[in-house]
């Protein structure tokens, strides 16, 4: 059966009758949580020279996040999430994706430079029982990328239920920087997601009024599919690849004892040199790699601090969900062995040449939601209420006044050209803006230089209310006049409701 958006909303309406787990129930369940840290399976594919082939089977299953409770989930080669794929620059990867679930899906390679028809966006839909093969050469620098469903109007629910995984890229120099690099030992992938559960153990999706507007948030944090797990550290210097795989939440990551750590990489590559801090913000779809020293051999908690960043005015209680403090995971370093690694003084410069003087076009993007900017909060609420029943597809979420239309190409860019994009946010809520096929650099935020932790190559940038962010990027050599790439807000419910557009490279 073809499930339309309207049907989906109806289903979600029924689901909302299932009461979300009450506090005592959560407390009880917390005691029985299965909380050992899980290192995701590493999949290096089958290699013949520089050709590497992978197989991903999209499937439905059941996952136990709490003892004795089975949650219906989606996964790739497993019941929830997928393996960590790994390849290196120069490889030609060929990824065979088969769809064994009852709805159309896609798998998009987030952060990857590749031909448009290999991108896995809404135009590469995989119907049930069908297979799609994506084949492309890795031409970019080492980085912590990821993959996820990008099905038209269904990205939010499909990712929420588990259709995502990490994709690590290496290059010739990335292993010679002296960084911790033993997968699962001192180089640890961490996909962070927040979830809300129904009383029957199922995931609660779009069951509360603010979900549609704020995006889907929950107060239970999973790391690699485990509720606030404990990582038993094997080494005293850890490299954590922190990936925000949530639908809507921005995290303000810090350790419970305020200990400093070093940020070494942003979304798509290394920083020029490690940046020491004790807090880092991670918006939806962003990644940072950090080095943390646990040679004091204590137990320390990675937390998300309460903050207004990414929140909405911070005045109305129902809008404060994005602001609250959360525990992410514990690191138990009591048994950690002395690491032979040190924090390097310098990493390296990117070879991607992004020079503002080379820019041949400047484009403006205005992010809008509801009646924001006109009717203020009241108008927005009115707009939300009116549009509750149709998912807001008549225009609650827009870029430059338009909601996504899969049949409309918004503009063309030239292959190999450098462009500057100016993204401004006319709403009071922060939106993580993402562009397919490129790695960009942030030039400035309201005219000010970006924070050092986001000085490296990026593919997502959080744009706060009343902020104007300028990014620079060079479009690769791939061109295709017909098949577009996407740009969108990465709060998945905003994307599904229209805060997305398409461009072709010619
Ligand atoms: Cu992470 Cu358009 O996607
Ligand atoms: Cu993407
Ligand atoms: Cu948004």
């Amino acid at each position: 059966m073809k499930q339309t958006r309207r049907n989906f909303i109806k289903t979600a309406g029924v689901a909302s009758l299932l009461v979300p787990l009450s506090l005592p129930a959560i407390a009880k369940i917390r005691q029985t949580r299965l909380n050992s840290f899980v290192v995701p399976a590493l999949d290096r594919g089958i290699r013949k020279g520089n050709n590497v082939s992978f197989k991903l089977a999209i499937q439905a299953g059941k996952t136990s996040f709490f003892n004795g409770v089975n949650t219906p989930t989606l996964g790739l080669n497993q019941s929830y999430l997928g393996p960590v794929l790994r390849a290196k620059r120069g490889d030609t990867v060929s990824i065979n994706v088969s769809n064994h679930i009852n709805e159309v899906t896609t798998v998009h390679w987030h952060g990857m430079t590749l031909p448009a028809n290999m991108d896995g966006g809404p135009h590469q839909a995989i119907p049930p029982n069908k297979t799609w093969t994506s084949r492309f050469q890795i031409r970019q620098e080492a980085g912590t990328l990821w993959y996820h469903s990008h099905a038209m109007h269904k990205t939010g629910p499909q990712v929420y239920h588990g259709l995502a995984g990490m994709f690590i890229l290496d290059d010739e120099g990335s292993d010679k920087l002296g960084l911790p690099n033993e997968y699962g030992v001192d180089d640890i992938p961490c996909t962070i997601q927040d979830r809300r559960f129904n009383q029957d153990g199922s995931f609660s999706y779009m069951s509360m009024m603010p979900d549609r507007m704020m995006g889907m948030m929950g107060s239970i944090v999973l790391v690699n599919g485990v509720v606030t797990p404990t990582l038993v550290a094997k080494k005293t210097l850890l490299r954590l690849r922190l990936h925000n795989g949530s639908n809507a939440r921005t995290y303000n990551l810090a350790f419970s004892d305020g200990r400093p750590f070093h940020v070494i990489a942003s979304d798509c590559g290394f920083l020029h040199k490690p940046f020491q801090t004790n807090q880092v913000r991670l918006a939806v779809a962003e990644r940072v790699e950090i080095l943390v020293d646990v040679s004091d051999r204590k137990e320390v908690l990675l937390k998300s601090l309460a903050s207004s960043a990414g929140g909405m005015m911070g005045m109305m209680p129902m809008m404060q969900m994005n602001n609250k403090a959360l525990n992410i995971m514990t690191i138990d370093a009591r048994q950690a062995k002395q690491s032979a690694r040190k924090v390097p003084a310098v990493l390296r410069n990117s070879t991607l040449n992004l020079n503002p003087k080379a820019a041949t076009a400047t484009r403006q993007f205005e992010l809008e939601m509801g009646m924001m900017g006109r009717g203020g909060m009241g108008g927005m609420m009115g707009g939300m209420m009116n549009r509750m029943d149709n998912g807001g597809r008549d225009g609650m979420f827009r870029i430059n006044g338009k909601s996504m239309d899969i049949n409309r190409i918004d503009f063309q860019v030239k292959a190999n050209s450098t462009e500057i994009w100016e993204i401004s946010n006319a709403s009071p809520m922060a939106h993580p803006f993402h562009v397919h096929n490129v790695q960009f650099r942030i030039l400035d935020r309201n005219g000010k230089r970006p924070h050092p932790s986001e000085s490296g190559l990026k593919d997502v940038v959080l744009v706060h209310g009343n902020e104007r962010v300028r990014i620079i990027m060079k479009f690769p050599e791939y061109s295709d006049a017909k098949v577009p790439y996407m740009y969108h807000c990465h709060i998945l419910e905003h994307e599904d409701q229209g805060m997305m557009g398409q461009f072709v490279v010619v």
Side-chain angles (χ1 to χ4, degrees):
M1 188 195 83
K2 199 172 142 235
Q3 200 184 28
T4 62
R5 178 75 196 173
R6 196 170 282 267
N7 280 340
F8 174 72
I9 299 296
K10 280 204 191 116
T11 322
V14 172
S16 67
L17 298 176
L18 297 168
V19 199
L21 277 177
S22 61
L23 285 173
I26 289 176
K28 198 166 144 213
I29 248 170
R30 283 238 161 112
Q31 292 161 12
T32 62
R33 69 182 205 263
L34 307 165
N35 64 349
S36 304
F37 188 91
V38 168
V39 176
L42 178 64
D43 186 349
R44 290 178 176 275
I46 297 173
R47 176 174 292 272
K48 286 199 190 100
N50 284 326
N51 292 307
V52 190
S53 55
F54 297 92
K55 268 192 164 43
L56 292 176
I58 295 173
Q59 57 194 66
K62 289 200 161 52
T63 306
S64 285
F65 298 101
F66 303 103
N67 245 328
V69 182
N70 282 327
T71 303
T73 50
L74 299 175
L76 303 105
N77 300 354
Q78 57 195 40
S79 74
Y80 184 74
L81 299 177
V84 171
L85 307 183
R86 191 157 192 169
K88 66 173 198 293
R89 179 150 64 181
D91 288 346
T92 295
V93 299
S94 137
I95 311 153
N96 176 286
V97 186
S98 53
N99 179 2
H100 304 281
I101 62 171
N102 290 326
E103 42 181 57
V104 170
T105 187
T106 82
V107 177
H108 163 60
W109 320 106
H110 178 122
M112 208 75 84
T113 289
L114 73 192
N117 62 347
M118 299 299 170
D119 185 47
H123 293 269
Q124 288 83 48
I126 317 170
N129 303 313
K130 288 282 188 294
T131 294
W132 171 69
T133 301
S134 179
R135 196 178 138 88
F136 54 92
Q137 191 181 38
I138 312 279
R139 299 186 180 173
Q140 65 200 84
E141 296 175 23
T144 301
L145 279 58
W146 65 301
Y147 58 90
H148 60 81
S149 155
H150 214 307
M152 193 66 185
H153 302 307
K154 285 189 189 160
T155 299
Q158 290 188 354
V159 171
Y160 196 80
H161 284 84
L163 294 189
M166 195 179 272
F167 202 141
I168 297 178
L169 298 183
D170 302 301
D171 62 36
E172 312 74 34
S174 57
D175 240 10
K176 298 182 186 123
L177 297 169
L179 296 166
N181 63 353
E182 258 189 278
Y183 183 84
V185 176
D186 58 9
D187 180 354
I188 319 264
C190 305
T191 290
I192 304 168
Q193 303 175 303
D194 59 328
R195 293 292 181 264
R196 196 192 303 152
F197 288 80
N198 291 310
Q199 204 92 50
D200 65 358
S202 60
F203 281 144
S204 167
Y205 188 75
M206 291 295 227
S207 54
M208 284 163 55
M209 208 178 60
D211 296 345
R212 190 147 292 121
M213 187 174 62
M214 303 293 295
M216 192 57 220
M217 283 181 258
S219 57
I220 292 176
V221 174
L222 309 178
V223 180
N224 301 338
V226 181
V227 180
T228 50
T230 297
L231 169 71
V232 176
K234 297 194 178 97
K235 291 287 174 69
T236 55
L237 187 66
L238 299 176
R239 173 187 191 175
L240 304 180
R241 297 178 189 255
L242 302 171
H243 160 221
N244 185 346
S246 308
N247 279 38
R249 186 183 293 280
T250 295
Y251 299 92
N252 291 286
L253 300 171
F255 289 96
S256 47
D257 56 4
R259 76 178 57 201
F261 56 88
H262 287 87
V263 179
I264 56 167
S266 53
D267 303 335
C268 299
F270 292 110
L271 307 187
H272 168 60
K273 56 179 198 237
F275 168 69
Q276 184 177 309
T277 181
N278 52 18
Q279 191 180 333
V280 68
R281 186 188 64 214
L282 203 62
V284 177
E286 284 186 313
R287 292 85 67 205
V288 286
E289 294 181 32
I290 67 167
L291 296 181
V292 57
D293 184 331
V294 294
S295 59
D296 57 3
R297 296 191 171 78
K298 291 199 173 117
E299 265 195 331
V300 63
L301 190 61
L302 179 65
K303 307 176 52 132
S304 181
L305 305 177
S307 153
S308 59
M312 198 163 180
M313 291 175 171
M315 293 183 300
M316 299 174 71
M318 76 169 205
M319 290 176 180
Q320 287 177 352
M321 291 193 302
N322 203 19
N323 302 348
K324 73 183 210 187
L326 289 169
N327 293 343
I328 309 289
M329 63 191 250
T330 300
I331 299 177
D332 174 356
R334 288 175 300 178
Q335 312 293 322
K337 295 212 172 63
Q338 186 58 43
S339 172
R341 305 288 186 178
K342 285 199 196 70
V343 178
V346 182
L347 296 161
R348 65 181 190 189
N349 283 321
S350 165
T351 52
L352 197 62
N353 184 17
L354 296 173
N355 181 357
K357 290 201 188 90
T360 49
T362 302
R363 297 178 198 276
Q364 265 91 28
F365 299 85
E366 186 161 83
L367 311 178
E368 302 163 288
M369 62 187 282
M371 306 280 175
M372 284 300 172
R374 272 163 268 167
M377 188 64 81
M380 176 194 69
M381 296 302 286
M384 181 179 67
M385 302 300 275
N386 292 338
R387 286 156 177 167
M388 242 0 219
D389 61 337
N390 63 6
R393 268 204 285 155
D394 59 349
M396 167 116 173
F397 292 90
R398 305 175 297 269
I399 299 177
N400 290 340
K402 292 182 201 146
S403 277
M404 165 78 179
D405 177 348
I406 198 160
N407 297 312
R408 183 191 72 229
I409 304 292
D410 292 276
F411 54 89
Q412 298 190 337
V413 310
K414 289 204 180 65
N416 296 307
S417 69
T418 300
E419 296 202 355
I420 293 173
W421 289 15
E422 303 182 353
I423 309 129
S424 49
N425 181 353
S427 81
M429 182 180 171
H431 300 278
F433 186 84
H434 168 55
V435 190
H436 286 209
N437 192 38
V438 289
Q439 295 89 47
F440 58 72
R441 207 175 273 290
I442 303 173
L443 289 173
D444 45 44
R445 294 179 168 276
N446 282 346
K448 295 196 196 82
R449 285 180 50 183
H451 192 262
S453 67
E454 45 180 33
S455 61
L457 294 178
K458 305 255 314 144
D459 54 52
V460 181
V461 60
L462 188 65
V463 186
H464 293 98
N466 296 317
E467 197 174 34
R468 194 183 69 135
V469 177
R470 293 195 315 143
I471 59 177
I472 183 168
M473 66 205 107
K474 183 168 194 260
F475 290 87
E477 58 280 23
Y478 301 116
S479 64
D480 187 327
K482 291 227 167 65
V483 185
Y485 297 101
M486 309 290 129
Y487 56 95
H488 56 91
C489 171
H490 220 291
I491 291 179
L492 300 180
E493 288 68 33
H494 293 180
E495 171 191 331
D496 278 348
Q497 292 176 82
M499 200 180 268
M500 177 156 70
Q502 334 187 70
F503 64 95
V504 288
V505 180
V506 292

